[in-house]
Amino acid sequence: MNTSSQLLSHIAAGDTRSLARAITVVENELEGYREILYALKPGRNIPVIGFTGPPGAGKSTLINALIHLYSKAGKKIGIIAIDPTSPFNYGSLLGDRLRMSEHFNNQDIFIRSLATRGSLGGLSQKTIEITDVMKSFPFDVILIETVGVGQSEVEIAGLADTTVVVLVPESGDEIQAMKSGIMEIADIFAVNKSDRPGADVLANNLEKTIRSGSRKEWITPVIKVSATTGTGIEELAEALERHRQSGLTNERKMQLLTEKIYTLIQKRRMNDINKADLLQSIKKAFIASEFNIYKFADSYSAV
Amino acid sequence: MNTSSQLLSHIAAGDTRSLARAITVVENELEGYREILYALKPGRNIPVIGFTGPPGAGKSTLINALIHLYSKAGKKIGIIAIDPTSPFNYGSLLGDRLRMSEHFNNQDIFIRSLATRGSLGGLSQKTIEITDVMKSFPFDVILIETVGVGQSEVEIAGLADTTVVVLVPESGDEIQAMKSGIMEIADIFAVNKSDRPGADVLANNLEKTIRSGSRKEWITPVIKVSATTGTGIEELAEALERHRQSGLTNERKMQLLTEKIYTLIQKRRMNDINKADLLQSIKKAFIASEFNIYKFADSYSAV
C-alpha cells in the first residue's frame, strides 16, 4: 500500500488531519498529488450543495444558518469557500469572518477556503480536485460557496449536485434580466432577507417564470428565507433533501462530468506555460517590428 | 492585396458595413478570419474604456450618459456589450433595451453585443479579437461593458486601457469586503446613484482605502455620478481623459499583453476539443469499472 492510498484510507476513516494534509498536497501540487488523485475512488454519494448569487445576497449567513441546523442533527459538514468575499474565507480581509470562527472549533465541521488564483476560470484552480478529495471523507454533506454572477455560476452548477441561487429583493430588477441564465442553473431559489419589501414580488416573479418555462421533472422551488431570523431554513433543508432524492438524470450527470473533465484537460494543457516566462518571450518579440499577437500566440501554443 | 487587407483598409476608411462584416467573420470563425487577425496592424491608439461592477450598479445607464456627452462633442464611439443583462445587448430579454435603441440609428455610434458562450472565461470567447478589429476603425473611443464581480473584472482590466468600476451605495458592505480585488483593477471609481443615502459614506470609504494603499503614480479618483440626472458625467469624462494622458507604464502594458496572449494560447490549444465528442468518449469510458476522471483527463489531453 503506497502513501497516497494510506492517506486516503485515513481520510475515509474520518481523520481530519489527513484530509487537511491531502488538500494541501493537491492544492499546491506537492509531491504525490497526482497519486492521490489517481487513487480516488467513487465513494459514498455525499451530497454537494453549491450556493451562488450576487454579492450582498447573504450567502454566507444562509450557509451559517444551515450549518447550525445540520450540526444540531449530528451531521458532519464539509465547507469549501471560494468566494473571496466570504466570511468563511480565512485569508480574507473581512472583519466579520470572526462571526464564523465559532465553527472552527467544532469537530464535526471542516472549513476550507480556497483562493481564486490566476485567470483560469472563476473558481479556484483546484476546486474540482479538492471537492473530490473532500468526498473521500465521511461527511454527510458538503457545502460550497462561490461568488456569484457570471461564469462561476455555471462552474458551480457543474460541481454541485444541487445549486441554490440566493437572491435578495434588492436584486430584483437585475435578476429579471439575467433570468435566462440563472433559471438554467438553479435547482432551488432562496429569496433571502425575505422580511424586506419586494420579497414577495421577487418570489412571485420567479415562480411565474419557472411555471412558464419548459417542463422539467424537477420544478425549482422558490423558498423565502431570512438567514438572520431563521425563517425558512428548515424549509430550505427539506427542499435540498427532496432535490437529492429526486436524483439527476444520467444524461445530466454525464454533461456535468464532461464540463469537469474539459476543465481538467484545459489545466493540463496549459500546465507547461509559466506566465513569467511568457512575459519575457513577449518582451523579446515585441522589440521586433510588426509584432502581431495572433501570430505570436499561434506559434507559442505549438511549443 | 488580398481580401483581408482590403476589408481592413475599408474599415480604416470608416466603413461600418465592412467593420460589421469583419466582426462577424472573426466571431464565427468564418473563412478568412485568421487572415484578418494576422493582417491587423497596431494602429492609432484608440482609448478603450472598460466598465465593470455588480449587477444593479447602473453600468449601461452610465455608459448611455457618456455616449450622449461624447456624441455631442462629435466623437465616433464604438461600444461592445458583453454583459448578458445589458440593455445594449440586442439579443437580451430585457425590456428596457429599447431605451438604448435611439443610438442604433446614429451614424457615429457603432454598437456590437457579444454573447458569452461556452465556458472559456467570463468574457465572450472572441472579445480580444473583436476589440482589436474595432481598433482598426477610426473611432475616437471604444467603450466595453461587462458583467461584474468575479473573473470577468480581471479580464476586462487586461482588455481596457482604463477600467471604471461602477458601484452604488447599496453595494457598500459587500464592496468593502472585495476591496482588495477591485482596488487593483479600478483606474476610476464611479459611485452611481449618488443621490441615494450612503453614497457619501461609500465614496469616503473608497477614498480612505485608496489613500492607505501602496503608492501608485496614478491615484484612483472616486467620482460621484448620477447617470439619470447627469450629475458628475462631465467630471467622469475629464477623469477618463486624465487617466489616458497619464499613460500606462511599459511594464504594465506588457503584463496586460501577456494576459491577452495567454488567453489566446489557451483557446488555440483547446480548439480541437469538441464537447459533444468528449461527452461520447466519457460515456464509453464510464461503463468500464474504476473510471477515474483524472486518469481520463490526462490521457485525453495528450490526444
Side-chain angles (χ1 to χ4, degrees), chain B residues 46-51 62-79 103 106-110 139-144 162 164 188 223 232-244:
Chain B
I46 304 169
V48 177
I49 305 169
F51 294 81
L62 188 62
I63 293 177
N64 200 26
L66 270 176
I67 292 175
H68 275 286
L69 188 78
Y70 287 148
S71 185
K72 263 193 283 181
K75 291 193 177 183
K76 274 191 189 297
I77 311 155
I79 297 146
H103 299 311
N106 186 325
Q107 289 280 344
D108 289 334
I109 298 170
F110 181 92
F139 287 120
D140 294 300
V141 63
I142 295 171
L143 311 176
I144 304 180
T162 305
V164 180
I188 292 171
I223 298 169
I233 302 300
E234 297 213 5
E235 207 189 327
L236 175 62
E238 279 164 26
L240 286 167
E241 184 56 27
R242 257 188 296 129
H243 184 258
R244 174 172 139 76

Side-chain angles (χ1 to χ4, degrees), chain A residues 34 37-42 54-56 84-85 93-94 118-122 128-129 132 147-151 174 177-178 180 251 254-255 257-262 264-266 268-270 272-273 275 278-279 282-283 286 290-298 300-301 303, chain B residues 34 37-42 54-56 84-85 93-94 118-122 128-129 132 147-151 174 177-178 180 251 254-255 257-262 264-266 268-270 272-273 275 278-279 282-283 286 290-298 300-301 303:
Chain A
R34 195 166 294 278
L37 296 178
Y38 279 11
L40 288 174
K41 300 217 185 316
T85 77
L93 296 173
L94 260 182
S119 57
L120 210 67
I128 296 174
E129 289 87 339
D132 276 345
V147 72
V149 188
Q151 198 44 36
E174 289 295 316
M178 305 172 51
S180 51
E251 187 60 28
M254 285 296 150
Q255 279 168 4
L257 201 57
T258 303
E259 289 298 330
K260 249 164 112 165
I261 290 177
Y262 184 89
L264 292 175
I265 295 170
Q266 182 169 285
R268 187 85 168 122
R269 287 194 173 176
M270 293 303 280
D272 63 312
I273 296 195
K275 279 199 186 159
L278 180 60
L279 176 65
I282 292 170
K283 278 184 180 169
F286 198 76
E290 294 276 329
F291 180 76
N292 177 294
I293 64 167
Y294 302 97
K295 283 183 199 166
F296 182 88
D298 284 351
Y300 203 91
S301 14
V303 170
Chain B
R34 195 166 296 277
L37 296 178
Y38 280 11
L40 289 173
K41 299 217 186 314
T85 78
L93 297 172
L94 260 182
S119 58
L120 211 67
I128 296 174
E129 289 87 340
D132 276 345
V147 69
V149 188
Q151 198 45 36
E174 289 295 318
M178 304 172 51
S180 50
E251 186 60 27
M254 285 295 151
Q255 278 168 4
L257 201 57
T258 303
E259 290 299 330
K260 250 165 111 165
I261 290 177
Y262 184 89
L264 292 175
I265 295 171
Q266 182 169 286
R268 187 85 168 122
R269 287 194 173 178
M270 294 302 280
D272 62 314
I273 296 195
K275 278 199 187 161
L278 180 60
L279 176 65
I282 292 170
K283 278 183 180 171
F286 198 75
E290 293 276 328
F291 180 76
N292 177 294
I293 64 168
Y294 302 98
K295 283 183 199 166
F296 181 88
D298 283 351
Y300 203 92
S301 20
V303 170

Side-chain angles (χ1 to χ4, degrees), chain B residues 4-214:
Chain B
S4 316
S5 308
Q6 261 168 7
L7 199 60
L8 285 171
S9 65
H10 288 152
I11 294 172
D15 179 30
T16 47
R17 293 183 65 174
S18 296
L19 176 60
R21 166 139 189 79
I23 292 175
T24 302
V25 170
V26 167
E27 189 175 21
N28 302 294
E29 299 193 1
L30 302 181
E31 209 195 312
Y33 90 96
R34 195 166 296 277
E35 286 67 32
I36 292 176
L37 296 178
Y38 280 11
L40 289 173
K41 299 217 186 314
R44 289 189 313 123
N45 198 11
I46 304 169
V48 177
I49 305 169
F51 294 81
T52 189
K59 292 183 290 293
S60 15
T61 326
L62 188 62
I63 293 177
N64 200 26
L66 270 176
I67 292 175
H68 275 286
L69 188 78
Y70 287 148
S71 185
K72 263 193 283 181
K75 291 193 177 183
K76 274 191 189 297
I77 311 155
I79 297 146
I80 304 175
I82 304 157
D83 186 343
T85 78
S86 167
F88 294 112
N89 195 324
Y90 218 55
S92 91
L93 297 172
L94 260 182
D96 66 340
R97 74 179 153 81
L98 293 172
R99 250 200 293 147
M100 305 295 166
S101 64
E102 48 178 315
H103 299 311
F104 284 96
N105 292 319
N106 186 325
Q107 289 280 344
D108 289 334
I109 298 170
F110 181 92
I111 301 179
R112 185 76 179 214
S113 74
L114 304 179
T116 52
R117 307 181 206 168
S119 58
L120 211 67
L123 295 187
S124 160
Q125 291 209 25
K126 290 284 189 289
T127 317
I128 296 174
E129 289 87 340
I130 289 165
T131 307
D132 276 345
V133 172
M134 295 262 291
K135 282 169 118 173
S136 310
F137 188 93
F139 287 120
D140 294 300
V141 63
I142 295 171
L143 311 176
I144 304 180
E145 180 191 23
T146 186
V147 69
V149 188
Q151 198 45 36
S152 51
E153 287 174 337
V154 181
E155 289 176 29
I156 203 174
L159 201 64
D161 303 314
T162 305
T163 299
V164 180
V165 174
V166 186
L167 302 175
V168 278
E170 287 80 357
S171 45
D173 287 354
E174 289 295 318
I175 294 314
Q176 196 69 9
M178 304 172 51
K179 256 183 333 204
S180 50
I182 57 170
M183 283 294 154
E184 265 176 53
I185 63 153
D187 297 310
I188 292 171
F189 279 111
V191 174
N192 201 1
K193 306 181 187 175
S194 60
D195 46 332
R196 294 203 189 166
D200 288 334
V201 176
L202 174 59
N204 289 341
N205 281 344
L206 286 170
E207 271 171 356
K208 217 180 292 170
T209 313
I210 291 161
R211 277 198 302 270
S212 70
S214 59

